[in-house]
């Protein structure tokens, strides 16, 4: 008789006592497993009670360097609000791991900032990144942000920031909120 | 895509530019060059015309990977786009510690060496915007600005910029502003 999956605390998360490492579905263990098979397997694992899935940005193949995240994203989409997805980047060569805004505790500290950005994003039907860029653009007519990206969808998204326009009142409202807000440190930021 | 004037430079740029560092540097393994070449072409197609790189954006195996990528990828569009690159920083590969520490070097001879390398890797005869990547405490900004003026007279760079310059140093650059 199959018992129901036990759960345990992982920091502040509550997850299935056994998670599923998805790396082998795309990476390292020879030819990529059939995507349909693995999508089916992932659905079956959710059914069994697994709710913690681990992948990484770098798990991929020559054909698709991010094959694993793509697979996991697609397969778990129907269950997204029931599962916990962990992914990772390579700290040894990825300087973001040393940036204060990504340190543990910073996410919590920045919640009011996220709430502010999300509010304006909803009001303007824009993404949070577009709101941040649009705010910068609104500061001076001769300011040009140069956000980096390696993805076509972000490239389009960032370009779209130029179409998000804030009124003077809105900019003032954002600035006032920012002035009164606690935030984490950021890499290369002013103190 | 909307356009705007960049500072007082007279450069007319896409309201949002593209920072290319992450394609080669700092965010884990370098991205696939073919993918990034394709992405850069798509960016031009979308109206992006301002691309930022630096001499130092690379990996131990390919120390100037990013400029080389841009040189190749933007070659077909060179007269439609503006390329910014930076000098004045290099990695100390002899230090023995990883990540390699950064060394600032804005000595005139080093700048001249850097710009030649950048022009060659970017496959162009001019850099639209040349930035000092970081202030070099050992070289007065006036000296750096002097070299910039020379490079502008020679047509190797069109505009100069200084990154993370302390406010007190701006006043000293006023005589050099066009």
């Amino acid at each position: 008789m199959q018992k129901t999956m036990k759960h345990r605390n992982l920091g502040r998360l509550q997850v299935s006592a056994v998670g599923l490492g998805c790396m082998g579905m795309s990476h390292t263990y020879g030819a990529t497993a059939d995507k349909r098979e693995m999508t089916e397997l992932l659905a079956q694992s959710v059914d069994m009670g697994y709710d913690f899935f681990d992948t990484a940005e770098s798990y991929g193949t020559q054909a698709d360097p991010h094959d694993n995240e793509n697979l996991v994203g697609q397969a778990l989409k129907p269950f997204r609000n029931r599962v916990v997805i962990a992914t990772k980047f390579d700290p040894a060569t990825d300087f973001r791991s040393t940036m204060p805004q990504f340190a543990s505790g910073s996410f919590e500290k920045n919640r009011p900032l996220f709430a502010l950005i999300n509010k304006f994003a909803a009001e303007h039907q824009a993404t949070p990144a577009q709101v941040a860029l649009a705010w910068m653009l609104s500061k001076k007519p001769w300011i040009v942000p140069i956000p980096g990206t390696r993805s076509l969808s972000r490239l389009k998204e960032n370009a779209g920031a130029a179409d998000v326009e804030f009124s003077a009142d809105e900019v003032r409202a954002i600035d006032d909120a920012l002035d009164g807000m606690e935030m984490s440190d950021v890499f290369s930021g002013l103190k | 895509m909307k356009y705007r004037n960049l500072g007082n430079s007279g450069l007319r740029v896409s309201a949002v530019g593209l920072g290319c560092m992450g394609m080669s540097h700092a965010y884990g393994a370098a991205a696939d060059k073919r993918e990034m070449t394709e992405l850069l072409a798509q960016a031009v197609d979308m109206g992006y015309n301002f691309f930022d790189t630096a001499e130092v954006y690379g990996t131990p195996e390919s120390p100037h990977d990013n400029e080389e990528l841009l040189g190749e990828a933007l070659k077909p569009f060179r007269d439609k786009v503006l390329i910014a690159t930076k000098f004045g920083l290099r990695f100390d590969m002899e230090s023995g510690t990883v990540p390699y520490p950064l060394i600032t070097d804005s000595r005139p001879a080093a700048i001249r060496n850097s710009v030649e390398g950048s022009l060659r890797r970017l496959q162009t005869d001019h850099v639209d915007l040349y930035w000092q990547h970081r202030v070099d405490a050992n070289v007065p900004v006036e000296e750096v600005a002097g070299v910039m003026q020379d490079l502008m007279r020679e047509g190797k760079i069109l505009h100069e910029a200084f990154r993370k310059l302390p406010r007190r140093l701006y006043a000293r650059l006023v005589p050099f502003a066009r």
Side-chain angles (χ1 to χ4, degrees):
Chain A
M1 188 194 83
Q2 187 166 340
K3 293 183 178 171
T4 44
M5 175 72 86
K6 292 203 167 84
H7 283 75
R8 43 174 66 190
N9 293 324
L10 186 68
R12 263 174 308 199
L13 289 169
Q14 223 207 30
V15 295
S16 46
V18 181
L20 180 52
C22 302
M23 178 181 82
M25 299 179 187
S26 305
H27 176 86
T28 299
Y29 299 155
T32 307
D34 182 68
K35 250 201 165 114
R36 260 172 322 195
E37 256 187 65
M38 292 302 103
T39 301
E40 170 87 31
L41 186 74
L42 283 160
Q44 286 165 331
S45 66
V46 173
D47 213 39
M48 273 182 236
Y50 283 88
D51 63 20
F52 184 46
F53 298 86
D54 183 79
T55 178
E57 189 187 17
S58 62
Y59 293 165
T61 62
Q62 278 259 345
D64 180 0
H66 309 297
D67 188 85
N68 204 239
E69 276 186 337
N70 284 326
L71 166 68
V72 170
Q74 198 57 38
L76 294 180
K77 196 154 85 171
F79 320 105
R80 186 62 188 97
N81 56 1
R82 285 162 52 185
V83 302
V84 171
I85 301 179
T87 189
K88 36 192 178 315
F89 56 94
D90 179 1
T93 55
D94 193 326
F95 295 159
R96 287 173 294 190
S97 65
T98 63
M99 294 181 184
Q101 63 263 38
F102 299 123
S104 72
S106 289
F107 192 84
E108 279 306 308
K109 203 166 186 190
N110 290 325
R111 277 197 189 283
L113 175 62
F114 301 150
L116 177 71
I117 294 175
N118 286 333
K119 168 171 133 59
F120 280 89
E123 282 169 13
H124 286 262
Q125 288 172 307
T127 65
Q130 286 172 332
V131 165
L133 291 170
W135 175 81
M136 275 182 249
L137 286 165
S138 74
K139 291 273 115 188
K140 293 285 185 207
W142 41 257
I143 284 181
V144 175
I146 44 170
T149 183
R150 290 174 283 186
S151 109
L152 181 62
S153 63
R154 295 295 189 206
L155 198 62
K156 290 182 180 157
E157 186 184 341
N158 294 345
D163 298 319
V164 177
E165 277 167 23
F166 294 130
S167 67
D169 283 343
E170 282 177 307
V171 176
R172 216 169 302 125
I174 295 174
D175 288 348
D176 288 345
L178 290 173
D179 282 340
M181 209 176 263
E182 279 278 321
M183 286 180 243
S184 74
D185 288 342
V186 294
F187 174 73
S188 203
L190 298 168
K191 296 271 170 189
Chain B
M1 175 62 85
K2 296 206 161 80
Y3 292 83
R4 39 173 67 188
N5 296 320
L6 183 64
N8 285 326
S9 67
L11 288 173
R12 188 97 182 132
V13 298
S14 42
V16 181
L18 181 52
C20 301
M21 177 185 82
M23 299 178 185
S24 308
H25 174 84
Y27 296 162
D32 179 75
K33 257 201 162 116
R34 257 170 326 190
E35 255 188 66
M36 293 303 101
T37 301
E38 169 91 30
L39 190 76
L40 285 159
Q42 286 164 329
V44 173
D45 212 39
M46 271 183 236
Y48 282 89
N49 77 345
F50 187 47
F51 297 86
D52 183 77
T53 180
E55 181 189 28
V56 78
Y57 295 159
T59 63
E61 302 76 46
S62 179
H64 311 294
D65 199 71
N66 206 236
E67 279 183 336
E68 286 163 3
L69 167 69
L70 259 61
E72 199 55 41
L74 295 177
K75 195 157 72 176
F77 321 104
R78 184 64 186 98
D79 55 354
K80 283 168 56 177
V81 303
L82 300 162
I83 301 181
T85 191
K86 316 182 191 69
F87 66 90
L89 271 187
R90 66 169 192 276
F91 285 108
D92 183 1
M93 310 246 198
E94 268 112 60
S95 72
T97 62
V98 177
Y100 300 122
L102 284 166
I103 304 176
T104 55
D105 187 358
S106 286
R107 289 169 300 163
I111 298 175
R112 288 201 156 275
N113 195 45
S114 289
V115 74
E116 294 306 328
S118 291
L119 289 170
R120 192 182 60 249
R121 288 183 292 266
L122 290 166
Q123 301 193 44
T124 184
D125 63 355
H126 70 278
V127 170
D128 297 280
L129 184 68
Y130 203 36
W131 313 57
Q132 183 193 41
H133 207 145
R134 196 168 292 186
V135 172
D136 183 346
N138 299 320
V139 181
V141 283
E142 294 89 342
E143 211 171 313
V144 177
V147 178
M148 297 291 101
Q149 299 252 289
D150 292 342
L151 293 178
M152 277 190 267
R153 255 192 300 273
E154 291 160 33
K156 292 190 169 153
I157 71 173
L158 302 191
H159 299 277
E160 64 185 295
F162 292 82
R163 192 176 158 277
K164 297 189 71 165
L165 194 67
R167 250 182 216 164
R168 61 187 159 79
L169 296 182
Y170 277 115
R172 285 160 57 179
L173 288 173
V174 166
F176 294 88
R178 278 135 141 247

